[in-house]
């Protein structure tokens, strides 16, 4: 606690009265200091000076120190700036002395505050107006300087940094290129290589919107237009001829058009000139149009002329870029037509018929023709033919005779029924096309020359059961005769009473009942089957072996077909359930060999094991606690198939029903054993504090009950827990200032987890819950005492009484104090050092105004308000008031009757506060001639 001491030493002069000295009012400044943003417009009121002694008087206010940047209204005391300040260039702090003509003056401090300013792009007016234009060639190198964006920013001197970026990049007339980039630090624009500058591809002009952004996000921007200059950098591209060749006839006239060479150049306004790489005497080339014409006769009758000419053409543009192209001109011979037999060369041609067994090399047909040209022989060649025709028939190239080849032989059944040969007759030594063309059609005639062939016949013996009914199909013989329209028929060789065969279909069936136990019935047969054609000209024989088999007709029989039982879920793995006993009435193996097979579903797959005839639990134990199992009414239904090994397999199904009873095996489980919750102290009754969540793996799942078993003190207790949900709720009001933390114990118990409820077998766990009570501002400040009364002399100045106020839920530095009533003319003020409660002190004008020459006691009744939660939400703040009554006593001395002079008396007031000693001395000089 601060210590406040007042020591008053006063000397009294006899016969003299002590008068008050002048008390001067203090000049008040409405806002001090003033924080003036640098971009504030002049003429705006910044602050106001007020002196009650000159209020309403003209020309009362002025600045003692001269300034042209600020003015004060002489009548109202309003203070204004006369200009817009620049933080980077002007002074940033001004001290102005306000004077009203009295003794007291007041210093006004004005601070110029920096305001972030956007960058200035107007250094280059063309850039900001969008007319900054640059021209570069389309082969301009990458990453070299193109343009630098010049920007100024006054905030750079305070550490501001500029960042340059390209906002948009438009290209025309073609859109979509991304070719330019900008250095984000120095603003240099250059090519970045993402898209090449190709004037010939349509990129002629680029418009870049460039932005400069400072650290505060303020920016300016402008536009750069970059024009691309075209350069001749493309080679002419010659369009090739089909197959790189041209065909002309030997009779092509001189000067006639042969072909036209065309070339394209991607460079704009570029002309192309054409020329032969080597001199040509047979052909001419127009250098401007690229048209090739005939210069000399191409007749092949001239032995010096060639049939083939290889030409190479060169195309050259204005930039001396060249490309060449090689192609060939073929000269075709023109001959007189050859005359042929009209039956051969007109209409459908000649049609012939030959038998399928025609002999090799046999003559079939001779084509008659001649060539009118002297000295020229004709030749015969096959232009086209039907499938495999040339494999069966030959054509004499000189004679025109068609004959049968030596191999292969004709087969009417497998080969085509007719063949076509398209034959051309032309000059032997000429490259001209054929002079006449005709068609020879050769039709094949069928001959009966094939024996029936078995397509399918059983190779292995057929085993049949003794109990097959009459008419049962045992086998099928399938045969074919390759002669067209020749049918086949089936029959047994010899007499068979046990079996029959279909004459037309080849099906072998049982003709009468067979009995394996009948001694007169053979156990096997060998059947001979003959297949023949319509006129029995050809036939083929096959055999079939039939073996009679005993039939497995007795299924296994068991001593019991259904088992019903009940076991607890914790029965050990390996416990036997059932031992099966079954037999088979068949007397021979494998018909009476018995095997056991457990039919499992996916749920019981690993819960049961069948070994031979014994069923056991395992390898997994029984588990009652399963939601799928609950849908099965907590019972397993197992099936065991008992089968013999006969053919067909006969079996019997045994059903086993096992009902499982539940056992309480598992403790409740949760993610933690301790919980920490919190609740505000002003929470209403039944408010949710928190929830304890635990689980239990015993069926029915999570059937738990929650109960508070410790730490829940009070009548009624502070908390309760919902037994089925685990939600902890408030039962009684809280007071954090009384108790800030509770520790309770919660017991979690499983219930109804046994087939028969047994409280002794219930399982439980105990968890610890810590509940923190969160503070709410519900305690107002309290001042001790609530009322104070004190006397002071009119000449006293400084702090004279210490206020003692506390708040249970707020620290001292969160309390604020203010005088809200009774402080006439602001005679008193609150003086506070650090976070401690303040002192009540006299104001600066206490001695000089109100109490000058007073003769009677003056009383003040001050109302002081104390508010908590300093700086917090005003809606939650609480206040208290205290009253201080102050009696101000006059200080007077009576003049003595004696004329003896006494030395002046000095009144010394000494007060000590927080270890700092303040002294104030008042010298009073009294004599017979003066009074103070």
């Amino acid at each position: 606690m601060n210590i406040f001491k007042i020591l008053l030493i006063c000397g009294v002069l006899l016969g003299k009265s002590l008068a008050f000295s002048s008390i001067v009012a203090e000049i008040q400044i409405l806002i001090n200091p003033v924080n003036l943003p640098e971009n504030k417009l002049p003429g705006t009121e910044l602050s106001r000076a007020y002196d009650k002694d000159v209020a309403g008087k003209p020309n009362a206010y002025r600045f003692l120190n001269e300034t042209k940047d600020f003015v004060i209204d002489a009548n109202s005391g309003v203070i204004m700036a006369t200009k817009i300040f620049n933080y980077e260039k002007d002074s940033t702090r001004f001290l102005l002395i306000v004077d009203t003509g009295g003794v007291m003056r007041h210093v006004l401090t004005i601070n110029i505050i920096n305001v972030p300013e956007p960058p200035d792009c107007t250094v280059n007016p063309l850039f900001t107006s969008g007319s900054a234009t640059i021209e570069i060639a389309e082969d301009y190198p990458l990453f070299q300087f193109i343009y630098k964006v010049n920007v100024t920013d006054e905030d750079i001197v305070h550490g501001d940094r500029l960042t340059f970026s390209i906002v948009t990049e438009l290209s025309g007339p073609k859109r979509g290129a991304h070719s330019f980039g900008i250095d984000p630090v120095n603003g240099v624009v250059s090519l970045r290589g993402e898209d090449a500058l190709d004037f010939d591809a349509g990129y002629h002009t680029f418009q870049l919107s460039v932005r400069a952004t400072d650290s505060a996000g303020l920016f300016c921007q402008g536009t750069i237009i970059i024009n691309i200059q075209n350069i001749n950098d493309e080679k002419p591209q010659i369009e090739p001829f089909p197959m790189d060749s041209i065909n002309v006839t030997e009779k092509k006239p001189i000067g006639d058009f042969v072909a036209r060479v065309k070339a394209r150049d991607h460079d704009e306004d570029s002309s192309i000139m054409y020329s032969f790489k080597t001199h040509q005497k047979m052909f001419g080339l127009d250098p401007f149009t690229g048209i090739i014409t005939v210069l000399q006769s191409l007749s092949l009758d001239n032995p010096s002329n060639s049939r083939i000419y290889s030409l190479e053409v060169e195309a050259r543009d204005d930039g001396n870029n060249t490309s060449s192209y090689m192609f060939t001109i073929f000269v075709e011979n023109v001959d007189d037509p050859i005359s042929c037999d009209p039956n051969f060369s007109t209409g459908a041609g000649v049609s012939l018929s030959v038998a399928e067994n025609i002999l090799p090399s046999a003559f079939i047909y001779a084509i008659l023709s001649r060539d009118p040209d002297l000295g020229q022989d004709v030749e015969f060649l096959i232009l086209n033919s039907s499938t495999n025709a040339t494999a069966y028939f030959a054509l004499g190239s000189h004679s025109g005779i068609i004959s049968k080849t030596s191999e292969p032989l004709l087969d009417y059944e497998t080969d085509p029924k007719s063949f076509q040969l398209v034959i051309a007759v032309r000059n032997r030594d000429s490259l001209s096309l054929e002079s006449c063309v005709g068609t020879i059609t050769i039709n094949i005639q069928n001959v009966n020359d094939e024996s029936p062939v078995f397509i399918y016949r059983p190779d292995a013996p057929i085993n049949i059961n003794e109990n097959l009914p009459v008419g049962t199909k045992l086998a099928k013989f399938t045969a074919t005769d390759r002669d067209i329209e020749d049918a086949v028929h089936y029959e047994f060789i010899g007499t068979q009473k046990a079996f029959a065969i279909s004459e037309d279909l080849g099906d072998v069936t049982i003709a009468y009942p067979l009995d394996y136990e009948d001694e007169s019935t053979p156990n096997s047969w060998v059947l001979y089957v003959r297949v023949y054609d319509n006129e029995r000209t050809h036939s083929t024989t096959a055999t079939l072996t039939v073996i009679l088999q005993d039939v497995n007709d007795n299924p296994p029989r068991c001593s019991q077909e259904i088992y019903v039982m009940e076991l607890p879920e914790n029965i050990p793995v390996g416990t036997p359930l059932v031992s099966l006993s079954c037999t088979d009435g068949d007397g021979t193996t494998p018909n009476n060999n018995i095997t056991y097979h457990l039919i499992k579903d996916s749920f019981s797959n690993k819960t049961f094991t069948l070994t031979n005839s014994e069923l056991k639990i395992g390898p997994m134990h029984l588990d009652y606690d399963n939601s799928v199992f609950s849908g099965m009414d907590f019972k397993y239904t197992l099936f065991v198939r008992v089968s013999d090994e006969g053919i067909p397999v006969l079996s019997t199904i045994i059903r086993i029903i096992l009902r499982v009873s539940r056992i309480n095996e598992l403790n409740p489980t949760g993610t933690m054993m301790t919980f920490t919750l919190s609740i505000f102290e002003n929470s209403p009754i039944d408010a949710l504090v928190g929830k304890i969540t635990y689980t239990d793996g015993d069926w029915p799942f999570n059937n738990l009950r929650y109960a508070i078993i410790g730490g829940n003190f009070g009548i009624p207790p502070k908390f309760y827990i919902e037994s089925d949900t685990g939600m902890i709720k408030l039962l009684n009001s809280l007071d954090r200032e009384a108790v800030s933390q509770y520790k309770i114990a919660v017991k979690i118990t499983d219930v109804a987890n046994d087939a028969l409820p047994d409280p002794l077998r219930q399982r439980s766990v105990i968890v610890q819950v810590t509940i923190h009570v969160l503070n709410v501002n519900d305690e107002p400040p309290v001042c001790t005492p609530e009322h104070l009364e004190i006397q002071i002399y009119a000449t006293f100045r400084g702090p004279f009484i210490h206020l003692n106020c506390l708040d249970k839920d707020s620290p001292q530095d969160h309390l604020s104090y203010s005088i809200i009533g009774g402080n006439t003319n602001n005679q008193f003020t609150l003086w506070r050092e650090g976070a401690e409660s303040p002192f009540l002190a006299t104001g600066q004008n206490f001695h000089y105004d109100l109490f000058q020459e007073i003769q009677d006691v003056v009383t003040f009744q001050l109302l002081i308000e104390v508010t908590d939660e300093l700086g917090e939400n005003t809606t939650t703040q609480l206040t208290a008031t205290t009253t201080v009554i102050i009696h101000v006593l006059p200080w007077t001395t009576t003049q003595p009757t004696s004329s003896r002079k006494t030395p002046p008396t000095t009144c010394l007031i000494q007060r000590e506060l927080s270890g700092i000693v303040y002294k104030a001395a008042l010298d009073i000089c009294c004599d017979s001639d003066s009074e103070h």
Side-chain angles (χ1 to χ4, degrees):
M1 178 181 292
N2 295 325
I3 298 174
F4 179 77
K5 294 180 181 179
I6 300 177
L7 179 61
L8 178 62
I9 303 173
C10 299
V12 178
L13 299 176
L14 296 177
K16 291 287 185 177
S17 62
L18 183 64
F20 289 105
S21 62
S22 288
I23 299 176
V24 181
E26 180 183 2
I27 301 174
Q28 297 179 352
I29 304 297
L30 180 63
I31 300 175
N32 190 15
V34 173
N35 292 325
L36 175 60
E38 62 174 322
N39 56 1
K40 194 76 170 181
L41 293 176
T44 303
E45 179 177 337
L46 305 181
S47 186
R48 182 187 295 265
Y50 175 76
D51 187 340
K52 68 182 185 62
D53 291 336
V54 299
K57 297 179 180 180
N59 301 318
Y61 299 93
R62 65 189 180 94
F63 288 142
L64 285 184
N65 50 338
E66 293 184 3
T67 174
K68 62 180 179 179
D69 297 328
F70 300 94
V71 296
I72 183 168
D73 187 276
N75 298 323
S76 64
V78 173
I79 300 169
M80 296 177 291
T82 61
K83 71 172 187 176
I84 298 177
F85 287 88
N86 188 319
Y87 184 84
E88 289 74 25
K89 298 179 181 179
D90 296 330
S91 298
T92 59
R93 182 177 175 88
F94 297 87
L95 299 177
L96 305 177
I97 302 174
V98 180
D99 178 54
T100 58
V103 177
M104 298 298 294
R105 297 177 178 88
H106 203 99
V107 177
L108 169 64
T109 302
I110 299 180
N111 299 316
I112 308 302
I113 306 301
N114 184 35
V115 176
E117 296 169 308
D120 184 5
C121 293
T122 59
V123 177
N124 183 356
L126 297 179
F127 173 70
T128 53
S129 65
S131 57
T133 304
I134 304 99
E135 290 190 0
I136 61 173
E138 63 177 318
D139 61 347
Y140 197 85
L142 294 175
F143 308 114
Q144 287 198 13
F145 174 92
I146 296 177
Y147 183 86
K148 177 175 175 55
V149 179
N150 293 317
V151 178
T152 60
D153 189 347
E154 292 185 348
D155 294 325
I156 289 179
V157 297
H158 304 299
D160 202 359
R161 294 291 182 268
L162 295 179
T163 302
F164 297 89
S165 61
I166 295 178
V167 180
T168 59
E169 179 176 338
L170 304 177
S171 57
K174 186 173 181 179
R175 298 181 178 273
H178 299 279
S179 304
F180 298 91
I182 188 170
D183 190 298
V185 176
N186 58 31
V188 173
V189 178
S190 62
L191 276 174
R192 294 301 172 92
E194 184 174 347
D195 289 318
L197 294 181
D198 190 350
F199 186 91
D200 308 308
Y203 300 109
H204 298 171
T205 302
F206 289 84
Q207 180 175 305
L208 310 181
S209 293
V210 180
R211 177 175 295 176
T213 307
D214 64 12
S215 304
L218 303 175
F219 65 88
C220 66
Q221 69 182 44
T223 302
I224 305 170
I225 298 174
I226 302 177
N227 296 322
I228 310 303
Q229 297 175 344
N230 184 31
I231 62 173
N232 194 341
D233 57 349
E234 301 284 349
K235 291 183 177 181
Q237 301 295 322
I238 301 177
E239 297 179 5
F241 296 123
M243 305 299 291
D244 296 326
S245 63
I246 301 171
N247 294 325
V248 298
T249 66
E250 62 176 329
K251 298 186 180 297
K252 193 76 168 174
I254 295 175
D256 201 0
F257 174 88
V258 176
R260 181 176 182 176
V261 179
K262 294 182 180 180
R264 297 182 180 273
D265 194 333
H266 291 293
D267 291 313
E268 292 186 356
D269 302 326
S270 180
S271 59
I272 301 174
M273 300 290 290
Y274 302 93
S275 63
F276 285 128
K277 292 281 286 187
T278 58
H279 176 71
Q280 296 293 326
K281 65 179 182 178
M282 303 299 292
F283 301 96
L285 175 61
D286 189 294
F288 301 102
T289 63
I291 294 176
I292 301 174
T293 55
V294 178
L295 295 181
Q296 296 186 22
S297 173
L298 301 177
S299 174
L300 296 178
D301 297 331
N302 186 347
S304 62
N305 289 347
S306 174
R307 292 177 178 269
I308 301 173
Y309 296 91
S310 294
L311 305 179
E312 185 175 6
V313 176
E314 180 181 77
R316 183 183 303 273
D317 64 9
D318 295 340
N320 215 28
N321 299 310
T322 64
S323 62
S324 60
Y325 172 60
M326 178 76 75
F327 62 95
T328 303
I329 295 180
F330 294 96
V331 180
E332 300 174 353
N333 184 35
V334 178
D335 289 330
D336 294 327
I338 298 173
S339 62
C340 297
D341 182 1
N343 293 331
F344 163 73
S345 58
T346 59
V350 177
S351 180
L352 308 172
S353 296
V354 296
E356 65 174 315
N357 58 353
I358 186 173
L359 296 177
S361 304
F363 171 84
I364 296 177
Y365 185 77
I367 300 172
L368 302 177
S369 63
R370 67 184 185 85
D371 191 336
D373 294 324
L374 295 177
Q376 291 186 343
D377 297 328
V378 297
E379 63 176 352
F380 303 86
L381 47 81
I382 299 175
L383 292 181
N384 194 4
S385 64
S386 58
T387 304
N388 293 334
T390 56
Y392 294 99
F393 306 98
L395 172 65
S397 61
H398 302 295
S399 63
I401 295 175
I402 299 173
S403 60
K404 177 66 178 71
T405 58
S406 58
E407 292 292 342
L409 299 177
L410 287 171
D411 188 348
Y412 184 85
E413 289 71 29
T414 60
D415 293 334
K417 304 304 180 287
S418 65
F419 298 88
Q420 273 192 344
L421 298 174
V422 179
I423 299 173
V425 183
R426 69 179 187 181
N427 293 328
R428 181 176 300 171
D429 298 326
S430 174
L431 294 178
S432 63
L433 298 178
E434 58 276 2
S435 295
C436 64
V437 178
T439 302
I440 304 294
T441 302
I442 303 175
N443 300 306
I444 310 302
Q445 295 177 343
N446 185 33
V447 177
N448 188 2
D449 56 352
E450 301 286 346
S451 296
V453 177
F454 280 104
I455 299 175
Y456 173 78
R457 58 183 179 180
D459 294 329
I462 297 176
N463 295 301
I464 63 174
N465 295 329
E466 59 176 322
N467 58 353
L468 291 179
V470 173
T472 300
K473 180 178 176 181
L474 303 182
K476 180 178 180 65
F477 285 83
T478 304
T480 184
D481 192 321
R482 299 179 65 217
D483 289 318
I484 301 301
E485 300 177 358
D486 201 357
V488 295
H489 308 280
Y490 305 89
E491 64 182 3
F492 284 135
I493 299 176
T495 303
Q496 290 292 340
K497 66 175 182 178
F499 305 99
I501 187 169
S502 172
E503 179 182 4
D504 297 323
L505 301 178
D507 294 337
V508 178
T509 57
I510 296 176
Y512 74 101
L514 301 177
D515 186 0
Y516 185 84
E517 290 73 28
D518 188 354
E519 295 182 356
S520 62
T521 301
N523 291 336
S524 64
W525 295 265
V526 177
L527 306 178
Y528 294 90
V529 179
R530 176 191 297 128
V531 58
Y532 57 91
D533 59 13
N534 281 340
E535 304 190 7
R536 291 185 178 268
T537 304
H538 304 93
S539 65
T540 304
T541 303
T543 61
L544 173 65
T545 300
V546 181
I547 300 175
L548 189 63
Q549 298 285 340
D550 189 17
V551 175
N552 179 27
D553 52 1
N554 292 304
R557 301 295 178 190
C558 300
S559 60
Q560 188 174 343
E561 293 186 355
I562 185 170
Y563 295 82
V564 180
M565 61 192 70
E566 183 172 356
L567 294 173
E569 64 173 320
N570 62 348
I571 190 169
V573 172
T575 301
L577 295 181
V578 175
S579 291
L580 305 177
S581 176
C582 303
T583 59
D584 193 297
D586 289 317
T588 60
T589 58
N591 292 343
N592 58 3
N593 290 340
I594 296 177
T595 58
Y596 300 87
H597 175 68
L598 177 62
I599 302 173
K600 301 180 181 179
D601 56 24
S602 59
F603 184 76
S604 59
N605 185 32
K606 296 183 180 180
T607 310
F608 303 96
T609 303
L610 179 64
T611 305
N612 295 328
S613 62
E614 187 172 35
L615 182 64
K616 296 181 180 181
I617 295 176
M620 294 178 59
H621 61 79
L622 299 179
D623 186 9
Y624 186 93
D625 311 311
N626 190 296
S627 58
V628 177
F629 199 33
S630 68
M632 301 167 58
D633 198 21
F634 302 104
K635 66 181 180 181
Y636 294 96
T637 302
L638 307 176
F639 297 94
V640 177
R641 181 187 293 115
V642 185
S643 306
D644 60 19
E645 297 181 359
I647 300 176
V649 175
L650 300 179
S651 60
T652 299
I653 300 297
I654 297 176
R655 184 169 60 170
I656 302 166
I657 300 174
L658 172 59
R659 183 177 295 277
V660 180
S661 58
R662 65 188 179 196
I663 301 295
N664 192 1
E665 305 170 282
L666 304 172
N667 290 327
T669 59
T671 57
M672 59 184 70
M673 294 298 292
T674 60
F675 292 82
T676 301
L677 307 175
S678 60
I679 185 171
F680 286 100
E681 61 177 325
N682 65 341
S683 297
I685 302 302
D686 210 34
L688 176 64
V689 180
K691 184 176 181 181
I692 308 300
T693 302
Y694 260 62
T695 60
D696 184 22
D698 289 308
W699 184 270
F701 297 142
N702 307 325
N703 194 9
L704 301 174
R705 293 294 179 268
Y706 300 83
I708 298 177
I709 63 172
N712 195 16
F713 304 112
I715 300 176
K718 295 296 184 183
F719 308 98
Y720 73 94
I721 189 168
E722 292 183 354
S723 61
D724 55 343
T725 65
M727 288 193 293
I728 300 175
K729 294 186 177 181
L730 190 62
L731 186 60
N732 198 357
S733 60
L734 301 173
D735 185 359
R736 185 181 184 278
E737 286 69 35
V739 179
S740 63
Q741 177 178 290
Y742 294 87
K743 292 184 178 291
I744 63 175
V746 177
K747 183 177 182 180
I748 302 133
T749 306
D750 62 10
V751 293
N753 291 123
D754 291 296
L756 296 175
D758 183 0
L760 297 179
R761 298 183 64 179
Q762 289 180 341
R763 296 174 178 266
S764 64
V765 295
I766 297 176
V767 299
Q768 299 298 323
V769 181
T770 301
I771 301 175
H772 294 285
V773 181
L774 303 179
N775 184 41
V776 175
N777 187 23
D778 57 354
E779 296 284 349
V782 176
C783 295
T784 306
E786 294 184 359
H787 304 280
L788 292 172
E789 190 168 357
I790 192 171
Q791 295 179 350
I792 63 172
Y793 283 100
T795 56
F796 179 78
R797 295 197 62 177
F800 55 86
I801 191 168
H802 185 207
L803 300 180
N804 183 21
C805 300
L806 297 174
D807 192 314
K808 290 183 179 181
D809 53 13
S810 295
Q812 188 61 240
D813 59 349
H814 283 194
L815 300 181
S816 61
Y817 299 80
S818 61
I819 302 173
I820 63 173
N823 193 15
T824 305
N825 294 325
N826 296 322
Q827 294 296 320
F828 302 94
T829 185
L830 294 173
W831 187 87
R832 190 174 190 177
E833 181 181 35
E836 297 301 324
S837 57
F839 288 86
L840 184 61
T842 59
Q844 290 185 2
N845 59 352
F846 179 80
H847 178 70
Y848 297 102
D849 186 3
L850 178 64
F851 305 107
Q852 184 177 11
E853 303 295 341
I854 68 169
Q855 300 296 322
D856 299 321
V857 175
V858 179
T859 300
F860 292 86
Q861 183 171 325
L862 303 182
L863 184 61
I864 300 176
E865 182 181 70
V866 186
T867 305
D868 62 8
E869 298 290 332
L870 179 62
E872 302 295 332
N873 188 355
T874 57
T875 60
T876 64
Q877 291 176 340
L878 301 177
T879 62
T881 58
T882 182
T883 303
V884 181
I885 299 174
I886 306 167
H887 301 286
V888 181
L889 305 179
W891 182 285
T892 61
T893 59
T894 303
Q895 183 176 352
T897 58
S898 172
S899 61
R900 179 183 177 183
K901 293 184 179 180
T902 58
T905 301
T906 299
C907 294
L908 176 65
I909 300 175
Q910 177 177 302
R911 55 190 182 275
E912 182 180 336
L913 178 62
S914 299
I916 304 174
V917 177
Y918 300 89
K919 292 182 179 180
L922 175 63
D923 292 333
I924 304 175
C925 299
C926 301
D927 56 26
S928 60
D929 299 324
S930 62
E931 185 176 289
H932 297 279

